[in-house]
Amino acid sequence: MIVRILGEGQYRLDDAELDLLNALDDDVEAAARAGDADWLQRALERLLDEVRTQGTLLDDDLLLDSDVILPDADASVEQVQAWIGEDSSFEGLMP
């Protein structure tokens, strides 16, 4: 799985990480829907740290389609809310 963090780069992660990433993503979604900026920052940083820690940073010259695109750690509540959208059939940043 290829995950892009905006403004940072792409990481290759094993599919085995998907369950943990989805759990962390659920926390990001809950924080954004609650409109809690502090909670969102902590949750988003945990998600991004997991990608950075468990993933392998890919060379910038390598052009691959990303399976998942995540906002940077400074994303606002409003930005993440817009990213998630109002459609409840799509939850969180990760499908």
Side-chain angles (χ1 to χ4, degrees):
M1 166 175 48
I2 304 296
V3 177
R4 173 176 297 282
I5 299 175
L6 289 180
E8 188 171 323
Q10 288 183 303
Y11 293 82
R12 183 182 310 273
L13 283 96
D14 291 333
D15 289 341
E17 291 296 315
L18 190 56
D19 287 340
L20 177 56
L21 292 176
N22 273 321
L24 294 170
D25 179 53
D26 289 346
D27 197 36
V28 169
E29 178 192 4
R33 294 208 188 275
D36 188 323
D38 291 334
W39 178 13
L40 175 64
Q41 185 174 9
R42 289 188 310 271
L44 189 54
E45 194 57 49
R46 283 192 303 269
L47 175 61
L48 299 179
D49 282 347
E50 185 66 20
V51 170
R52 292 177 191 122
T53 302
Q54 298 303 319
T56 302
L57 182 61
L58 299 177
D59 190 294
D60 288 340
D61 294 335
L62 186 62
L63 299 175
L64 297 172
D65 287 336
S66 299
D67 298 302
V68 175
I69 300 174
L70 300 175
D72 62 66
D74 295 328
S76 69
V77 168
E78 293 79 15
Q79 289 170 321
V80 175
Q81 286 172 338
W83 197 304
I84 292 171
E86 297 296 322
D87 183 358
S88 62
S89 67
F90 177 75
E91 297 181 0
L93 299 168
M94 300 180 61

